[in-house]
Amino acid sequence: MTRYQNLASILSQRIEQGLYPAGVRLPSIRVLSKEHGVSITTVQQAYRELEDQQLVEARPKSGYFVSPLKTRPELPAVCSMSQCSLSIPQWDQVLEMVGPLKEGEITFVSAAPDVSVSSLRPLTRALSHLSQRHDLRTLSYDDVRGSLELREQIARLLIDSGSHMDAGNIMITNGCREALSIAVRCVCAPGDIVAVESPSFHGSLQLLHGLGMKVLEIPTDPVNGISVEALELALDQWPVKAIMVTPTAHNPLGYNMPLERRQALLKLAQHYDVAIVEDDVYGELSFGYPRPATITSMDDEGRVLLCSSFSKTLAPGLRVGWIAPGSYMNRAVHMKYTGSGSTASLTQLAIVEFIKQGHYHKHVRRMRGQYQRNLDIMTGWITKYFPCGTRISRPQGGCLLWIELDHGIDTQQLNALLAEHNISIAVGAVFSTAGKFHSCMRINYAQPLTAEIENAIRQIGVVIHQLLSRSGFGNSVK
């Protein structure tokens, strides 16, 4: 953190703890400058950041005051149970989302991290140096399981998640998507049923349908995660072969599943002899420290297949992921060999250098802080510009916000109208196989939040108000 960000964080904590109640005048700029040993400019920047978060307000010739208490937006509703889905859902909308950007477009669609930060420069230098040295390792086939050095580094990183494994338990893949594909094919055959959270990442849903699987959506709470109780009922009624979950910094709801719920989920899988595919791609971006333990770390039977990548912590263009497939390693290696073969060596070796030189942990700490600050600011903007009654998730990690609008709003129609303003969002319908979440959307808050981004959020709010007015459910603009 910079000095002003650190000061803003201290003041924010004091406000949240009630040390500075609503309406109270905060210490003057000069007093804080002297108290914390920082410049007047630093204090001014800290107060501006708190203004952006709507925690404080400036009053001419009077100073800064704690903002009046605001009611926190309600959380998104929990969906109902659905039947198994057989058809490939919403592919046209997904294809449109992953298409090229239009010139000048402001998009909130992807789940990409901020790759513009200076803490990634050592990684780009490592890539450059490896290329310039004409290292033959970067031009040759590698072990189909991936670089041994990288697998050893990943094993060390996994200690923070409670997992203790060696390089032999890990295989490198082309991003997390290939890891998930291998995991599912290890435990399922076409036509088998996979239970998933609802809402669930659209890429995982498309993957399952592409592999010929049936999808059973399980109600998912925006705080506690997948309903273990509903899942148990489903396991009693359906021959489920695997459970696919993202228990840490879930995409799109952002929750961290409580430890006792993770333990209950694993116990349920053991009782019904079902495999768990654990997507931990956002695990390192959990705001709290230490980060939550993976379900894999609690598994002593090898039934949990852990999948992750560097796509969210570093950069998606690296295309380096991994899988720790538990007792399914031999099958996983064979599928990797018959599928894509070995993963490109250059990016693997660059990541090894990045981690070994101590840059990885510094970078991830920086991104966690940035995303947490951005979350506060983005939530404030949405609360300010969107209609009353808008429901907003409260992510505990990652860079994604799930928003539920009035049920009279179809976000597919909203997105079409936003295209006229060169703005795009991720529509809620693609996060379900059963046509749910038509009034929801997902927004990425990873990038630096500029005035241009705020204006885009304001414009989205204007269009939502217009749609509500046309339908006869309009609210006055805030």
Side-chain angles (χ1 to χ4, degrees):
M1 283 190 187
T2 62
R3 289 184 178 181
Y4 83 85
Q5 289 169 340
N6 185 56
L7 178 57
S9 177
I10 292 171
L11 294 173
S12 173
Q13 289 175 12
R14 291 178 180 177
I15 291 170
E16 290 177 1
Q17 292 167 359
L19 299 177
Y20 295 140
V24 164
R25 185 178 185 275
L26 290 159
S28 70
I29 290 174
R30 291 189 182 279
V31 167
L32 284 177
S33 173
K34 186 176 180 180
E35 178 186 343
H36 294 275
V38 297
S39 68
I40 286 175
T41 301
T42 296
V43 180
Q44 289 172 331
Q45 288 178 305
Y47 270 141
R48 277 197 292 270
E49 175 133 334
L50 293 174
E51 281 188 284
D52 286 339
Q53 297 175 26
Q54 298 187 330
L55 289 174
V56 308
E57 54 187 34
R59 298 179 188 174
K61 299 181 180 180
S62 298
Y64 290 89
F65 292 77
V66 179
S67 298
L69 290 174
K70 294 182 175 65
T71 303
R72 294 183 78 181
E74 287 190 55
L75 288 163
V78 179
C79 70
S80 58
M81 194 80 173
S82 63
Q83 298 297 310
C84 283
S85 176
L86 300 174
S87 62
I88 296 178
Q90 316 295 343
W91 169 238
D92 290 341
Q93 289 145 301
V94 173
L95 184 60
E96 183 179 344
M97 285 169 51
V98 298
L101 284 181
K102 302 171 188 173
E103 185 176 353
E105 181 180 8
I106 298 177
T107 180
F108 299 99
V109 169
S110 79
D114 181 9
V115 296
S116 67
V117 292
S118 60
S119 51
L120 282 178
R121 287 174 188 163
L123 178 61
T124 56
R125 285 198 297 269
L127 286 165
S128 177
H129 291 162
L130 283 165
S131 300
Q132 291 172 3
R133 290 204 307 259
H134 300 291
D135 191 325
L136 294 181
R137 292 179 301 168
T138 66
L139 300 176
S140 304
Y141 285 124
D142 201 348
D143 185 334
V144 70
R145 294 167 296 182
S147 160
L148 175 60
E149 290 179 282
L150 180 57
R151 289 185 283 131
E152 288 173 342
Q153 293 299 329
I154 291 171
R156 293 188 181 100
L157 295 178
L158 287 174
I159 292 173
D160 280 347
S161 71
S163 293
H164 297 274
M165 59 179 72
D166 59 33
N169 302 118
I170 299 166
M171 182 173 70
I172 306 300
T173 60
N174 295 307
C176 190
R177 200 77 58 88
E178 185 182 35
L180 291 171
S181 174
I182 290 172
V184 171
R185 287 182 289 140
C186 277
V187 298
C188 298
D192 284 343
I193 299 173
V194 179
V196 301
E197 300 140 323
S198 186
S200 195
F201 171 47
H202 56 78
S204 298
L205 298 179
Q206 295 296 327
L207 168 68
L208 291 172
H209 282 288
L211 294 175
M213 309 299 171
K214 299 176 184 178
V215 174
L216 182 61
E217 295 188 39
I218 307 298
T220 302
D221 184 84
V223 174
N224 295 314
I226 191 168
S227 170
V228 178
E229 296 77 14
L231 179 59
E232 183 172 11
L233 291 174
L235 292 172
D236 273 335
Q237 299 177 40
W238 298 90
V240 174
K241 286 296 182 69
I243 305 163
M244 182 180 283
V245 291
T246 307
T248 303
H250 177 263
N251 176 7
L253 288 171
Y255 59 78
N256 285 347
M257 193 176 189
L259 176 63
E260 63 274 11
R261 306 289 289 182
R262 297 175 191 237
Q263 293 169 334
L265 176 60
L266 177 60
K267 186 175 180 180
L268 196 64
Q270 292 169 338
H271 178 74
Y272 286 90
D273 193 22
V274 177
I276 295 177
V277 177
E278 182 176 13
D279 183 350
D280 192 52
V281 73
Y282 297 96
E284 291 281 281
L285 296 174
S286 175
F287 296 149
Y289 189 84
R291 57 146 295 170
T294 58
I295 300 173
T296 302
S297 69
M298 310 168 194
D299 174 33
D300 57 7
E301 299 176 338
R303 74 170 60 249
V304 183
L305 299 90
L306 179 69
C307 303
S308 190
S309 80
F310 293 101
S311 295
K312 308 305 180 184
T313 51
L314 298 181
L318 297 171
R319 307 314 305 143
V320 176
W322 69 87
I323 179 173
S327 61
Y328 300 93
M329 177 57 86
N330 287 340
R331 192 178 304 180
V333 173
H334 184 256
M335 288 180 178
K336 173 67 172 166
Y337 173 76
T338 58
S340 64
S342 58
T343 300
S345 300
L346 176 61
T347 48
Q348 293 187 64
L349 295 174
I351 293 171
V352 169
E353 290 302 310
F354 189 74
I355 298 173
K356 286 173 69 175
Q357 292 170 10
H359 300 300
Y360 179 80
H361 285 298
K362 292 178 183 177
H363 170 73
V364 171
R365 281 198 301 270
R366 172 175 179 164
M367 301 322 296
R368 282 198 296 258
Q370 175 176 318
Y371 295 162
Q372 192 163 18
R373 291 190 300 274
N374 284 4
L375 168 62
D376 292 337
I377 294 170
M378 183 65 81
T379 301
W381 287 348
I382 292 169
T383 303
K384 179 179 179 181
Y385 296 120
F386 283 28
C388 294
T390 298
R391 293 170 175 257
I392 308 174
S393 62
R394 297 171 195 159
Q396 294 175 286
C399 57
L400 303 169
L401 203 57
W402 184 250
I403 301 163
E404 183 180 346
L405 304 171
D406 185 283
H407 287 184
I409 298 291
D410 186 324
T411 51
Q412 186 66 31
Q413 180 188 10
L414 171 64
N415 205 31
L417 294 173
L418 290 174
E420 299 173 10
H421 303 278
N422 228 5
I423 300 170
S424 58
I425 57 171
V427 300
V430 302
F431 296 87
S432 168
T433 64
K436 301 175 184 176
F437 312 117
H438 73 277
S439 61
C440 297
M441 61 179 171
R442 190 192 70 184
I443 282 182
N444 184 329
Y445 53 81
Q447 308 306 317
L449 298 185
T450 61
E452 186 180 31
I453 298 295
E454 181 179 8
N455 285 334
I457 295 296
R458 182 191 60 80
Q459 186 60 56
I460 295 173
V462 168
V463 176
I464 293 171
H465 280 290
Q466 291 172 348
L467 285 172
L468 286 172
S469 296
R470 292 176 196 171
S471 63
F473 296 101
N475 292 300
S476 59
V477 179
K478 295 181 184 177

